[in-house]
Every structure is written in C-alpha cells, then in structure tokens.
Amino acid sequence: MSSLNQYFPTAEDPAMVTERSLSELAKTMTSSRILVIAYAVRERIAAGADVANFTVGDFSPQQFNIPSGLKAAITAAVDRNETYYPPAHGTPELRSALQRHYRDELGLDYPEDAFCVASGARPVLYAAYRCLLDPGEVVVTPAPSWNNNNFCHLVGAKHVVVPTQAEDGFMPTAESLAPHLRDARLLVLCSPMNPAGTMITEAQMRDICDLVLAENKRRNETGERLLYLMYDQVYRMLAFDGREHVTPVSVAPEMAAYTLFTDAISKCFGATGLRVGWIAAPPFIAARVKALMTHMGAWAPRPEQIGTAEFLSQPEAVHAFLTEFRAGIRARLKLLSDAFSSWKAEGLPVDVIPPQGAIYLSVRIDLEGQPGFPDEDSVRSYLLNEAGCAVVPFSAFGDSTNRGWFRFSVGAVSVEDIEACIPRIKAALQSAVS
Ligand SMILES: Cc1ncc(COP(=O)(O)O)c(C=O)c1O
C-alpha cells in the first residue's frame, strides 16, 4: 500500500499550507506559550534529566487521583451501557445536582435552567465569549490571566489588558478597571487565580461589583448593550488557611443579572482528563450556550456526567476528598513558599506570595538585567539548566509589567521532588549573584 503522505504539502511549500488553504483565523492562532515551555521540559525529562516539573497546570496520577466515589460511579455508568448522547446542556440529574451544590456550598439559589454543562470549562468559556460578543467589542482582563488573549482572538474581540501589582495579589483594583469599563462588554476575573495562586478579597470584589452595577444602571437608562462579568471559579474549592472563596453574586445578589460563572471538576477533583464543566448564567444566556453546544458537540461524556451528579450529591464524600487533596497541594506549596521566604530574609533577590489557593505559587526571581541574564528567558533557562527547576513566567500569561515573577505549579510533583529541588535552586541563586 502506498503512503498517502505523498499528497500532503511539505514544509518546502509553505504557501500551500497557509495562503492557499487556511482561514485567516487558523493562520493567526498562536499556540499557548505555557504548553510550548511545558512540552520542551517534558522532552528533557524523557531524555533522563533530573527536573522538578512545575510548569503544567495539571496533576500527575502518581501524585493525585480523582475521588474514588467519582471513579466508581463513572465505571458503573459505563458498565450499565450509559454510552449514548446526553442532552446538549447536561443530564437533568447533573443540572439538579449542580443547582443543589451551588445552593448548599456557595449560598447561590440559581434555577436549574441557569446551568449548561459541557466538556470542561474551556468550551463554556469559549461559548460565553461567542454568545456575548460581536467582533470589535471590548473585553477587559487583568494581567496576568489565563488564556483570555486566545479567546479574544477567536471571537475577534478587542482585548484591553489591565496591569496588576503584587501588593494586590495580582488582582485588578476597581480604580485600575474604572477607566476601561465604559466601553467594555465583558470583564473577566478568576479566583483562586491561575497563574498567581491568589484570591480576590471580599472588599476587592465589592468595589468591582459596584462599578459593574453602576455602569449597567447607566446603560439600562440609555439602552446600550450591557456589561457582563465572567467569573472563572474552576479552583474555588482549593482555598487554604481559612481563606474564603467570594463570588460577585454573594457580595451583591443583583450581580446575578450580569454574572456568568464558569466552573468544572477538572481542578478541584484532580480530574482534568474527565472533561466535565459548566456555566451558571442568566437562563437566557445559558440557553444560547446550549444552542452553541448542540452544534459544537462539546458536551461532557454521559458516564462522567452521571458520576459527577452522584458524587456531588454526597457532600460528606466531597468534603472528605477535598480535605486530603487540599492538604497535599498546600504541603507542596508551603515547602516552596517557606524556602523562598527564608532566602528573601537572607538577602537573595527573590520574593514570594504565601499560598492562598489553586495549585500555584507566585515567586519573583529578580535576576533579569544582572550580568549573564539579558532577558527573562535567560533566567527561566538558567533555573532549568542549573537547578532542574522548570517554571513558567507571568509573561506567558500576557503580563508585561510584573517582570521576574514566575508560576510554580505543584500538581505533578511530589514532596520529595520539591525537597530535592530546593537546595539546587538555592545553590543556583547564590551562584547567580556571587
Ligand atoms: C483559570 C482556568 N480556567 C479554566 C481552565 C480550563 O479548565 P478545563 O480543563 O475544565 O477546560 C483552566 C485550565 O488550566 C484554568 O486555569
């Protein structure tokens, strides 16, 4: 049999691949810099290098597993041959389990038709962008933030990036947002936050909600298109040391009219490969997201929906799982955080924000501009080559102002990996400044 590969264009004929074949969108899509860095690190590890991989926002099965109750319910659903199409917006059991879960865990009494289920948070994020925005309309996000540049590109939105500061936990302040909201259609916030691992406070949230409500009050008088707040809370159950997850609707119930929650089991149940997410939104928006899902076919697999509904309906099992899961994540973050705090006290050029939430830690390694470190990438490569420490800079999350800040992600490393890496990082830092 002759290989069909002979009919496909090769790298020698780039015009055939680009100008003569692809859409403008396909030609201009960029790959995630986070994944580019992560794949390069994976290759090094596969080639035998001793590297602590803090790059991926994922879990390794050697470190963290999904809840056993969730796994058993999914397996049982497959065994019962629950393998046909689910409804495009989710099974009724899952939607009512989500309704109860939001009421009991978040104090938010949404109707069932506010929920639309999909295969993870990504499809509902994309669908929300698609359903709210026309080309050229403005989306405001803080920097750093996860993936909003790509969603803006996909829908042709104008992306306005608001810088943040370490003192505010890299959350935007109402003051920094205010000048940009007059023209905006969508503001996107995330807490606990990827990449910083920080959490928005109730006061920060209240100030931002006041702005959104005032702006929509004005628009309701003029008849202009409304301003929505998308609140990505995929890490909401991963909060440490008594910190409380706050939501726009819990601080100001009237924000329900303007808020879209995006959520998933991916991060909080260590279940990134299972693909169950959802949106909770004003029902007329959830209905449009459902319509889009019908065409995209991006629904969550039926057995996983059944398993999620059964697991969420056992709050004690959920809490028991989370207690252990959170402890494992916190222990890893704390080891790193304590090490960087002590080096800061010793005068090394580092800074760190103690763990607050998610699976991430914000660390500053202030070497850029020193001899031998002409740019940020030289610092990242130095850590990788000299300390076997693989991290992602905030610039990969669209942040051009918080130089020297890196994300450490701990879902794929063991406590022992971290303990082994810490002296290597310290030695590399000492040698960089000596
Ligand atoms: C803030 C945030 N939202 C959404 C997602 C995507 O979640 P999912 O895997 O459910 O699509 C991620 C994944 O890294 C994330 O960090």
Side-chain angles (χ1 to χ4, degrees):
M1 200 186 303
S2 68
S3 165
L4 295 174
N5 209 24
Q6 60 186 302
Y7 299 108
F8 303 141
T10 61
E12 279 89 68
D13 190 1
M16 171 85 176
V17 177
T18 55
E19 275 76 41
R20 296 179 53 214
S21 303
L22 298 175
S23 69
E24 212 35 55
L25 179 71
K27 278 189 277 184
T28 51
M29 273 189 301
T30 52
S31 33
S32 151
R33 228 184 107 210
I34 309 156
L35 292 183
V36 172
I37 294 172
Y39 290 150
V41 169
R42 247 181 228 170
E43 267 171 33
R44 278 181 88 103
I45 294 172
D50 189 7
V51 174
N53 189 357
F54 298 110
T55 60
V56 283
D58 200 358
F59 304 93
S60 106
Q62 283 82 42
Q63 303 306 323
F64 295 100
N65 288 127
I66 62 167
S68 54
L70 175 61
K71 187 175 179 180
I74 293 172
T75 313
V78 175
D79 286 343
R80 289 195 307 273
N81 298 318
E82 303 254 18
T83 49
Y84 43 97
Y85 283 137
H89 59 340
T91 64
E93 292 78 12
L94 178 52
R95 290 165 69 234
S96 72
L98 290 171
Q99 184 190 25
R100 284 194 305 276
H101 177 69
Y102 267 42
R103 191 193 58 210
D104 299 344
E105 302 291 334
L106 295 171
L108 302 177
D109 189 11
Y110 271 94
E112 206 173 297
D113 57 1
F115 293 94
C116 180
V117 175
S119 58
R122 278 176 182 83
V124 283
L125 280 158
Y126 174 67
Y129 267 85
R130 225 9 343 145
C131 290
L132 289 177
L133 298 160
D134 285 323
E137 289 193 307
V138 172
V139 176
V140 176
T141 75
S145 85
W146 176 82
N147 218 35
N148 288 298
N149 54 342
N150 292 313
F151 290 128
C152 284
H153 180 67
L154 290 177
V155 304
K158 183 172 169 219
H159 190 188
V160 172
V161 174
V162 175
T164 60
Q165 296 189 329
E167 300 80 80
D168 303 314
F170 303 106
M171 291 290 169
T173 59
E175 215 179 9
S176 65
L177 291 172
H180 305 288
L181 294 188
R182 180 79 183 229
D183 296 326
R185 288 290 332 284
L186 182 64
L187 165 65
V188 184
L189 297 176
C190 173
S191 179
M193 198 250 270
N194 181 7
T198 49
M199 294 180 64
I200 197 164
T201 64
E202 192 170 333
Q204 285 172 320
M205 180 64 92
R206 194 174 294 281
D207 289 348
I208 293 172
C209 289
D210 284 348
L211 283 182
V212 174
L213 290 169
E215 179 58 23
N216 279 323
K217 182 168 184 291
R218 189 189 68 75
R219 294 189 196 189
N220 279 322
E221 281 156 15
T222 61
E224 284 165 71
R225 280 159 72 69
L226 296 168
L227 168 65
Y228 284 92
L229 168 58
M230 183 130 71
Y231 192 51
D232 187 339
Q233 52 173 11
V234 293
Y235 298 96
R236 79 190 141 87
M237 299 182 231
L238 305 180
F240 311 118
D241 301 336
R243 280 182 185 268
E244 290 279 327
H245 174 66
V246 294
T247 80
V249 185
S250 51
V251 303
E254 60 274 39
M255 278 297 294
Y258 310 115
T259 302
L260 289 75
F261 287 100
T262 50
D263 209 339
I265 64 168
S266 317
K267 308 291 178 164
C268 291
F269 296 159
T272 48
L274 287 182
R275 312 314 300 152
V276 179
W278 57 90
I279 197 165
F284 76 97
I285 298 178
R288 294 284 87 194
V289 170
K290 173 192 171 185
L292 187 57
M293 287 304 146
T294 314
H295 302 308
M296 286 167 61
W299 42 75
R302 176 182 278 271
E304 297 170 22
Q305 295 197 37
I306 292 170
T308 304
E310 283 183 26
F311 185 61
L312 285 179
S313 304
Q314 300 160 36
E316 314 77 51
V318 171
H319 292 148
F321 169 81
L322 284 172
T323 302
E324 202 178 314
F325 188 59
R326 268 194 301 255
I329 294 165
R330 184 186 172 279
R332 287 163 174 76
L333 295 170
K334 186 87 173 50
L335 263 177
L336 284 165
S337 171
D338 287 350
F340 279 99
S341 301
S342 68
W343 302 337
K344 182 182 175 185
E346 289 170 27
L348 285 169
V350 295
D351 204 350
V352 61
I353 299 187
Q356 296 182 8
I359 57 173
Y360 309 117
L361 193 72
S362 295
V363 173
R364 184 162 197 217
I365 299 174
D366 194 11
L367 290 176
E368 191 180 341
Q370 303 291 321
F373 298 101
D375 53 24
E376 177 193 78
D377 212 51
S378 62
V379 180
R380 187 188 66 77
S381 312
Y382 178 76
L383 285 172
L384 180 59
N385 297 332
E386 299 303 314
C389 169
V391 288
V392 182
F394 275 22
S395 62
F397 300 89
D399 186 348
S400 56
T401 60
N402 292 304
R403 307 298 301 181
W405 284 93
F406 291 85
R407 179 187 83 169
F408 280 68
S409 174
V410 298
V413 286
S414 65
V415 166
E416 295 73 33
D417 292 334
I418 299 174
E419 282 169 344
C421 193
I422 282 174
R424 300 198 302 259
I425 304 174
K426 184 172 187 188
L429 289 170
Q430 283 171 327
S431 123
V433 295
S434 63

